[in-house]
Amino acid sequence: MPPDAASDDAAAVAADAASSLPPPPPKRPTRQHGVKGVYHGGDWLDIEDLGNKFDPDDATKSCSGCANLRTESCPRSKSRNDASITKDGMEYDVIVVGAGCVGSSVARELSRYKLSVLLVEAADDVSQGATKGNSGIVHAGYDDAPGSVRAKYCWRGNQMFSRLDRELRFGYQRNGSLVLAFNEDEMKVLDGLLKKGETNGVERLRIIDQKELKELEPAVHPEAIGALLAPDAGNVIPYEFAVALAENAVDNGVEVRIRREVTSITSLQDNGSQKFELNVRHWEPKEYLDAHKPGSALKSRSPVQKMAFYSICFSTAVAMGMGIYMILDPNVGSQATQQSLYSVLALLITGVMAAYNFFSGTAKPATDKIPFAQLAKKVPQPKGDGGKKVAVEDMLTGGSGSWNAVKGDTVAMETVRAKYVVNAAGGASDKIASMIGDDSFQIKPRLGDYLLLNRNQGHLTTRTLFPCPHPKLGKGVLVQTTLWGNLILGPTARDVNNPDAADMSDASVQEYILSKCRRLVPYFDPRETFHAFCGARAKNSTGDWIVRPSENDGRFIHAAGIDSPGLAGSPAVAVEVVNLLKGAGLPLVKDPTFNPNRAPIITPKNGMRGLKMGPLGKNDAKSPRDVADIKRMASNVVCKCEKVTELEIVRAVHRSLPIDSTQAIRKRTRAGMGHCQGEIENYDCETRVRAIVARENGVSTNEEGGRPWPATSTLTRRWIDEGEKDTLKERMMVG
């Protein structure tokens, strides 16, 4: 039988099975973080009960580093502060390599002490590696082998999230998880997971029967006969978690540099002390470099500016001509001749410098003086098709935010030194280790692909749903409603060193996810898919996390090869890393000024109350630094789908971390993450965001990055059509 015919037959059988399903259960209300309330410390708070627990205006009274709209935004690619011991950007107590959830957790933990700490990240923002590309589950720890490093830190980290969220306000939902069983053999697997979890110290685990399962989750597949319930499992938006950690670390004195790739590490003696010297490559993206090429300033000049400049040149030339005439005139006295000579020289020098800046210098436009609608017209159009996917190698150092993905180039080589180094470089942690001659492990990336569905599908589950775990590929796919109300499906588990898995077609990836997730919840509509992404998990050759000093040098601490459930374990790993540093000789003196609290970026909304939408220029701020205009920004909706306001974006830009792209704003405020994905014909929010970021940073719109396409998506275009939606429906029914 031809393969196509076999596939059609399989689809027909699956369709018949689907038609025998009972009707879907009634829709349940779905909570959405930031809409009529928030998730705070694991629990839901209604909007009227927030008070100063979450509200950004009230919370600023007790939070560190809260946005001051009169404060300049961060310098390019670094935080405002110089945390070096010598205040020359060279000497530090500790350098942390990698700003994912692990590295950012370590940096924040170190900021509790009187230390000089530098956090370096190879990508164009924190959280751009594996932290960005995962499901955000705070696992309970029942699936980890007893006695393993994973088991040691997962449950311990899980129990730290409630307090972390109360302090950092990133949004944490303790929704619980269920591992489904479909036969008696799988029920025995659940028994094994329960015992394993209890051995690992996981509390409140229990196995439930089919009746209770259906009461808890009416939309699960009717053939499921029982489940393992872990009430303490939760979920976060992983990049928002990492951003919160890094911001609070900087607020408490840590210095952050992004677009810094460590190229070599050497050990040296310095004044009788053993130190590490790191060579770091500072790169910038093509848009920024193009905007700073000689001659870029001339292109940015308006016709009025050019006319004014040429008029001044003409007047200056006339004045110089008159001066030269007086110098050459024998009837003019020597004193007047000397004064004329000085005047001509001054005009000549001033003219040359002005001409150089006008024609060959780099532009620093007064973007806050340009009417917003006019500024937005200068923004390049968002990309939604074409392009090339991000390579796996680039995913290990930032994915779509890596230097190669954005055609970056080196702008400087920097040298930094520290007595201690923490290797939290994720997918690149083996390369960092090899720089000190430590080849004790190798990273073997495992790709995980996801599909994201609209909020109208989020009612199908409250808890995170898993199948029984695979003995080699781990937990398997999941179905989960995110903090923001969307339904997320996935991931795959594609080992890069297995060509059959690594080279799966986009169609095969989608078929795998949709058909496997249909086995858990058969009622979702794949036509509601609007986004797809992939992450590279840092699996390693040892089979377990590496949290220990390097055997080559005890002052070099590994927090490396941390794959799932690394998000859950990251806070506990950070505490352990600090203890290991102490054991290696790092003096720890608590800083009495440490402030654990951080104001949220988002402002909770109550529908459209107090908000306004309209065309460019209608509601946008005229003078963002004026107090009176802050109210205008607070009501001006920039992203229609997510109801993100201008004030939320402006506040994000003026906080502790450098922001120079719509992607950075997208991760902090969700502007552009909604149903329309920044569609130009809808509300064109990406254009609006890019113009706001340029205005707040005082740079041209060409210097600020936009959303890349296709990045790691398995969709054919950013805005899929009805035909592709129908194809997704067909792929759900395969297998």
Side-chain angles (χ1 to χ4, degrees), residues 103-287:
S104 298
S105 291
V106 171
R108 182 183 185 254
E109 199 62 30
L110 287 169
S111 73
R112 298 176 182 274
Y113 304 95
K114 292 183 177 180
L115 296 169
S116 168
V117 180
L118 172 65
L119 176 62
V120 294
E121 168 56 49
D124 64 357
D125 194 10
V126 302
S127 79
Q128 284 288 69
T131 297
K132 179 179 69 173
N134 73 77
S135 46
I137 299 171
V138 182
H139 289 280
Y142 53 77
D143 190 38
D144 304 312
S148 66
V149 182
R150 287 186 182 88
K152 181 178 180 181
Y153 298 116
C154 183
W155 170 252
R156 193 183 303 177
N158 171 291
Q159 294 296 290
M160 297 171 70
F161 267 81
S162 291
R163 179 174 177 178
L164 280 170
D165 188 39
R166 287 193 294 272
E167 293 174 346
L168 300 178
R169 299 169 175 87
F170 48 82
Y172 166 56
Q173 176 190 13
R174 193 189 302 102
N175 64 320
S177 68
L178 289 164
V179 182
L180 306 186
F182 289 84
N183 53 54
E184 291 304 323
D185 287 340
E186 291 189 345
M187 289 298 292
K188 292 177 183 176
V189 173
L190 298 189
D191 286 331
L193 291 176
L194 176 64
K195 292 173 183 175
K196 191 187 292 185
E198 290 172 345
T199 302
N200 292 341
V202 182
E203 299 174 4
R204 292 173 284 279
L205 290 174
R206 62 188 181 93
I207 293 176
I208 61 175
D209 60 18
Q210 187 179 52
K211 181 177 181 293
E212 186 175 0
L213 173 60
K214 294 298 174 62
E215 289 172 353
L216 293 177
E217 297 294 346
V220 298
H221 200 288
E223 294 178 6
I225 63 172
L228 174 68
L229 172 63
D232 286 84
N235 72 86
V236 299
I237 304 300
Y239 37 84
E240 294 184 25
F241 171 55
V243 165
L245 290 164
E247 276 190 354
N248 189 241
V250 173
D251 295 341
N252 284 292
V254 172
E255 179 184 344
V256 168
R257 300 187 202 179
I258 59 173
R259 300 191 178 98
R260 291 338 197 259
E261 180 187 9
V262 178
T263 58
S264 67
I265 303 175
T266 55
S267 184
L268 50 81
Q269 285 281 340
D270 183 25
N271 294 326
S273 177
Q274 197 78 12
K275 293 182 181 178
F276 293 107
E277 183 173 273
L278 285 69
N279 289 317
V280 181
R281 183 173 74 94
H282 174 195
W283 64 270
E284 291 292 344
K286 186 176 185 298
E287 293 113 328

Side-chain angles (χ1 to χ4, degrees), residues 545-567:
W545 297 351
I546 303 161
V547 183
R548 56 171 173 77
S550 169
E551 294 176 1
N552 292 45
D553 194 318
R555 297 172 297 115
F556 191 97
I557 308 298
H558 290 307
I562 297 180
D563 56 354
S564 180
L567 178 73

Side-chain angles (χ1 to χ4, degrees), residues 297-311 358:
L298 180 60
K299 295 178 183 178
S300 71
R301 307 302 182 192
S302 67
V304 174
Q305 288 176 317
K306 291 177 181 178
M307 185 177 296
F309 177 77
Y310 295 143
S311 298
F358 191 83

Side-chain angles (χ1 to χ4, degrees), residues 240 455 484 486 642 644 665-666 668-673:
E240 294 184 25
R455 289 196 183 100
W484 294 98
N486 302 102
E642 299 298 311
V644 180
I665 290 295
R666 196 166 164 256
R668 288 158 172 81
T669 67
R670 293 192 61 77
M673 280 204 177

